[in-house]
Amino acid sequence: MKKLAFMLASLLLAMGTQAQDKAKEQAMKRYFADPLFTRLKPKVTTAEGIKDTDTRLLVEHLLADAEGYSKFRVAEYEPYMTTATLRRILKTSAQYNRYENPTGVYLKKGESCIVMAEGIGQDTVGLNIKNWLKNEEASHYSLHNGFNHITATTEGNVFVDYYTDNYQNAPNVRLHFVNAPVRGYWDRETMTNSDWKEMLKAFDKNDSTILVTRSRHAQLAFPVCKWIENCPENIDSVMTLFQQVQDAERSMMGLEKYGRQVKNRQLFYATSYGFMAAGGEGAYCHIGSLNALCTPDAKRFGFWGVGHEWGHNNQIEGFRWSGLGETSNNVYASWAELLYTGNPSGLRLEDEVTGVNDYRGMRGGRMQTYFEEGLRKGVQWQLQDGPDYHGSTPEKITVDGQNAEGDNTGKVTTTKRNYDHFVKLTPFHQLNLWGTWAGKSPDIIPMIIESIRSTEGYARTFNTIGKKQINWMKLACDSTKLNLLPFFEKAGMLKPMHTYIEDYGPGWSIITPEMINKLKAHVKTQCYKTPEEEINYICAHNAHIYRDNLKLQVPATLNKGCTPEKGKVVVDHNIVKNAVAFETYTADHRLLRITMYGLGSNDAHTITRVLYPAATETAPAAAYIMAVGYDGTRMKIYESTATQEVK
């Protein structure tokens, strides 16, 4: 009985509120010449005598400054594809922005607002109020044509919630937020830096509430105080940097190339928790770490961090198997950084000072790990050592076993450990450098991604990590019409494997000899041409040599341009020209080290510190160095006791 009485009381209250709203709407109509209440009737020349506060204030505003009043309060809003449909079409790992259509209105909890609506058709339209810094769920309010009276149950920025799969045909809607408190927002497509500076004048420098900014495909929700601190004038440059990350990622996804471009934006927002991460509807960063994201300086901007987190949202089914959770997203990050960074001598893979063994603490040490562990030692890809997790002890675990078909084989005891995610990235980075940047097979990775997207029932067919990896290599060959299997073999990706891989969502990586042989047979029957270049030796700092087909040039005299150091030989690129890597051999011609171009270099990348180890109890000393050209040419440039001229 109590529950029934409560429901009845609630119904009566709602009916009473609706009646009051209807009466208020009818009373307000006496003063306005249009359904949205944006134009006064000719006879209305004063607000005197109007008892209703909302009506009186609106009349006063329109009489005093109709244009100024209407800014942000009266606007047209467009429909967007539903985020679920977008995710299904693009095969992305997360949905996109749920907060398109910012209004510039900001409501506090308990504040009421009248919203006049026009043009709402068959598709639902509503409002979302969101405050990311409070880590609260958005509150939602449905709208209908005409008079809407809402009371905010949460505090935050107000967005028009208009998502429909009929977005191509659905009409725009017009809304009027009557007398609502306005903060504004900044849109790169329609506004300028002058608008931005004027907007910031209304705020206190310590204001921590959110001010929304957006470009064609990027939307930010950062606090006012961070904007005032880091970008008081040049917001256009900041939004250009975020848009460039979007351009790089959407290009890598092939959205423009294959007619899949969407107007939906990706969101990056501030939080009061965590550090920087990807969420279900965008990416976020802690308010205390926003400075590098609010800067208009490309040299300081966090291209990698932004590209990495948005890259998580853009990871594609079939390019995100266990072991790639923190890797395939960085294909996007490395591409954005390479294309747009203002600091080309500070690339994450090629220039980070790190490393292990006799190249620890060296510039480029992380990528060097791939050259040594993968290319020279032949360690299986994904199990190659690196600075991250170096020397960590494998964990002994009991898990469900699996065979190559994905069948459960019962409980087994095995080990797992994590490996350097950046080292895993290198082969994909190299393919992109060689194919797209150097122009040898343009859009190589977008073509693979589109092939995955276009495969009906992909997840059912390629239901294991091993099948996904084998198919990825097959698609690489089929998409480019090239035999890239030698590249994959050298990279350690085309080897038999039965290992439990640790990553976000660990699992069994099983590749059998039969799977490898089947792939090789397929490529052989297609008669694809095998590239003659040393693709496995490419990096961002030598990619121009591949692009321009620059032949290896070495001095006529051995050791010229080569200066010995302890355990290394410094090679001058101005004397030994167009080498893409260096191979160090023993006196009996055994390969002792492979050194990437630019290891231990300076900012100008005019030298490489080639690894040249002394003898140990288990290994002989280095005896000579061969410079390697992009086309596989090898020439001796240094020998420990050389005095003769090269013949």
Side-chain angles (χ1 to χ4, degrees):
M1 290 295 292
K2 288 183 178 180
K3 183 176 181 180
L4 180 60
F6 175 78
M7 292 174 61
L8 183 59
S10 299
L11 179 60
L12 291 173
L13 179 62
M15 292 174 62
T17 301
Q18 291 173 5
Q20 292 174 5
D21 288 347
K22 192 66 176 176
K24 184 164 186 168
E25 180 184 10
Q26 292 302 317
M28 292 180 74
K29 282 182 177 181
R30 295 164 48 196
Y31 300 93
F32 302 99
D34 66 312
L36 284 187
F37 297 172
T38 63
R39 290 184 291 109
L40 295 172
K41 290 182 177 180
K43 65 179 182 180
V44 180
T45 58
T46 179
E48 290 184 13
I50 301 177
K51 295 182 180 180
D52 179 72
T53 303
D54 290 316
T55 307
R56 184 178 68 256
L57 287 175
L58 179 54
V59 170
E60 288 176 348
H61 287 316
L62 292 178
L63 287 172
D65 180 12
E67 183 178 350
Y69 165 82
S70 297
K71 190 173 183 179
F72 297 112
R73 290 189 179 91
V74 181
E76 193 169 279
Y77 300 93
E78 59 184 327
Y80 286 83
M81 180 191 299
T82 60
T83 57
T85 297
L86 183 147
R87 181 181 183 184
R88 177 177 55 79
I89 291 174
L90 299 187
K91 301 293 193 294
T92 55
S93 59
Q95 298 184 21
Y96 276 22
N97 181 14
R98 281 290 307 163
Y99 302 97
E100 300 278 6
N101 282 322
T103 65
V105 173
Y106 189 94
L107 293 177
K108 295 180 180 179
K109 184 176 181 179
E111 279 189 320
S112 294
C113 180
I114 296 170
V115 183
M116 302 302 300
E118 183 179 43
I120 297 177
Q122 295 180 345
D123 299 292
T124 59
V125 179
L127 300 178
N128 284 326
I129 300 179
K130 180 66 176 179
N131 187 330
W132 288 277
L133 290 175
K134 288 191 175 182
N135 193 25
E136 296 176 337
E137 290 292 326
S139 55
H140 180 82
Y141 311 86
S142 297
L143 296 178
H144 55 264
N145 286 323
F147 188 97
N148 298 267
H149 190 190
I150 68 168
T151 299
T153 57
T154 59
E155 176 179 343
N157 301 78
V158 180
F159 302 86
V160 177
D161 184 26
Y162 191 11
Y163 292 85
T164 170
D165 290 335
N166 187 39
Y167 67 98
Q168 291 178 313
N169 300 312
N172 290 356
V173 300
R174 294 188 73 235
L175 301 180
H176 175 193
F177 292 85
V178 177
N179 298 333
V182 166
R183 302 168 60 80
Y185 65 90
W186 192 88
D187 190 334
R188 186 168 179 261
E189 302 297 303
T190 60
M191 303 174 79
T192 67
N193 283 329
S194 295
D195 296 318
W196 176 249
K197 287 184 283 188
E198 190 64 29
M199 190 178 297
L200 289 185
K201 287 180 181 179
F203 298 101
D204 181 84
K205 67 178 182 179
N206 297 316
D207 191 330
S208 62
T209 54
I210 296 296
L211 183 59
V212 174
T213 60
R214 65 178 189 171
S215 64
R216 188 170 67 259
H217 294 128
Q219 182 169 316
L220 311 182
F222 293 167
V224 171
C225 56
K226 286 299 179 180
W227 286 127
I228 293 176
E229 177 185 355
N230 297 284
C231 183
E233 297 183 345
N234 193 1
I235 185 63
D236 185 76
S237 290
V238 174
M239 294 311 300
T240 294
L241 297 174
F242 276 94
Q243 182 59 44
Q244 286 173 335
V245 177
Q246 280 293 308
D247 290 342
E249 298 210 3
R250 290 175 185 235
S251 172
M252 184 67 69
M253 295 166 71
L255 301 192
E256 204 72 52
K257 178 180 178 69
Y258 294 104
R260 295 184 182 273
Q261 189 63 272
V262 293
K263 68 180 182 181
N264 296 59
R265 295 170 179 83
Q266 283 190 268
L267 176 68
F268 217 110
Y269 56 95
T271 65
S272 56
Y273 57 88
F275 167 55
M276 190 183 294
E281 55 194 16
Y284 60 84
C285 181
H286 187 274
I287 186 174
S289 302
L290 280 175
N291 290 0
L293 305 188
C294 295
T295 175
D297 184 356
K299 293 182 179 179
R300 294 173 50 223
F301 182 70
F303 277 104
W304 191 280
V306 175
H308 174 100
E309 303 305 352
W310 269 344
H312 273 307
N313 296 146
N314 284 328
Q315 283 176 300
I316 300 293
E317 176 188 342
F319 195 16
R320 192 174 59 95
W321 56 85
S322 292
L324 290 189
E326 287 287 1
T327 300
S328 59
N329 61 318
N330 281 332
V331 174
Y332 301 117
S334 62
W335 188 230
E337 181 185 68
L338 180 68
L339 290 179
Y340 299 114
T341 182
N343 183 19
S345 62
L347 302 179
R348 185 66 180 265
L349 286 179
E350 284 84 356
D351 293 303
E352 188 177 4
V353 177
T354 183
V356 297
N357 304 325
D358 56 349
Y359 50 90
R360 66 182 180 275
M362 294 183 70
R363 182 182 207 144
R366 195 184 297 275
M367 193 168 181
Q368 174 62 31
T369 304
Y370 162 80
F371 279 70
E372 267 294 287
E373 300 296 310
L375 304 186
R376 186 180 73 84
K377 295 181 181 178
V379 177
Q380 172 78 45
W381 177 71
Q382 295 207 91
L383 305 182
Q384 296 160 5
D385 198 7
D388 289 354
Y389 311 106
H390 175 61
S392 61
T393 303
E395 177 187 356
K396 194 171 184 178
I397 57 171
T398 299
V399 296
D400 289 329
Q402 189 181 94
N403 61 23
E405 292 302 315
D407 300 320
N408 191 324
T409 59
K411 294 292 182 182
V412 296
T413 299
T414 185
T415 60
K416 70 170 184 176
R417 62 158 288 194
N418 224 324
Y419 289 84
D420 195 303
H421 304 298
F422 300 99
V423 175
K424 299 178 191 180
L425 169 65
T426 303
F428 304 118
H429 179 60
Q430 289 184 315
L431 274 182
N432 193 41
L433 284 170
W434 173 80
T436 300
W437 197 94
K440 301 300 181 178
S441 182
D443 297 321
I444 179 172
I445 292 182
M447 288 193 292
I448 298 169
I449 288 175
E450 178 62 17
S451 295
I452 293 171
R453 268 196 302 252
S454 303
T455 301
E456 189 70 28
Y458 186 94
R460 294 190 302 273
T461 303
F462 303 99
N463 62 334
T464 70
I465 298 171
K467 289 179 182 179
K468 288 182 172 70
Q469 184 171 320
I470 287 289
N471 187 62
W472 201 95
M473 292 184 281
K474 175 181 178 295
L475 292 177
C477 296
D478 290 344
S479 298
T480 61
K481 308 302 180 188
L482 292 170
N483 178 11
L484 296 171
L485 297 188
F487 168 81
F488 292 124
E489 285 190 294
K490 290 179 184 177
M493 300 180 75
L494 198 59
K495 294 174 179 283
M497 189 176 188
H498 196 130
T499 306
Y500 196 73
I501 296 292
E502 172 64 75
D503 197 352
Y504 294 155
W508 287 101
S509 181
I510 303 171
I511 297 176
T512 65
E514 291 75 20
M515 295 165 72
I516 295 172
N517 291 336
K518 184 177 180 181
L519 174 58
K520 288 182 176 180
H522 166 78
V523 172
K524 184 177 181 179
T525 60
Q526 302 303 309
C527 299
Y528 294 148
K529 179 182 177 181
T530 301
E532 296 180 355
E533 293 109 329
E534 289 282 356
I535 305 175
N536 298 87
Y537 285 175
I538 197 170
C539 69
H541 297 312
N542 67 19
H544 66 284
I545 298 173
Y546 292 79
R547 180 195 63 197
D548 299 334
N549 301 320
L550 301 178
K551 295 292 185 180
L552 178 64
Q553 300 177 35
V554 305
T557 303
L558 278 175
N559 296 6
K560 186 175 181 180
C562 301
T563 305
E565 283 185 352
K566 184 178 180 181
K568 302 171 186 68
V569 173
V570 181
V571 177
D572 188 336
H573 299 162
N574 294 312
I575 297 174
V576 178
K577 298 181 179 180
N578 303 326
V580 298
F582 303 90
E583 296 174 346
T584 302
Y585 290 86
T586 63
D588 58 352
H589 313 301
R590 283 183 287 166
L591 182 60
L592 191 62
R593 293 287 187 276
I594 299 176
T595 302
M596 67 172 281
Y597 179 98
L599 179 68
S601 188
N602 49 26
D603 281 354
H605 295 95
T606 58
I607 62 171
T608 294
R609 284 185 160 81
V610 179
L611 302 177
Y612 202 77
T616 66
E617 293 181 359
T618 58
Y624 64 93
I625 297 171
M626 301 290 286
V628 184
Y630 82 94
D631 58 357
T633 301
R634 284 166 169 78
M635 296 184 181
K636 186 183 289 187
I637 60 169
Y638 183 84
E639 192 168 16
S640 295
T641 58
T643 56
Q644 75 278 19
E645 290 190 352
V646 179
K647 302 299 184 182

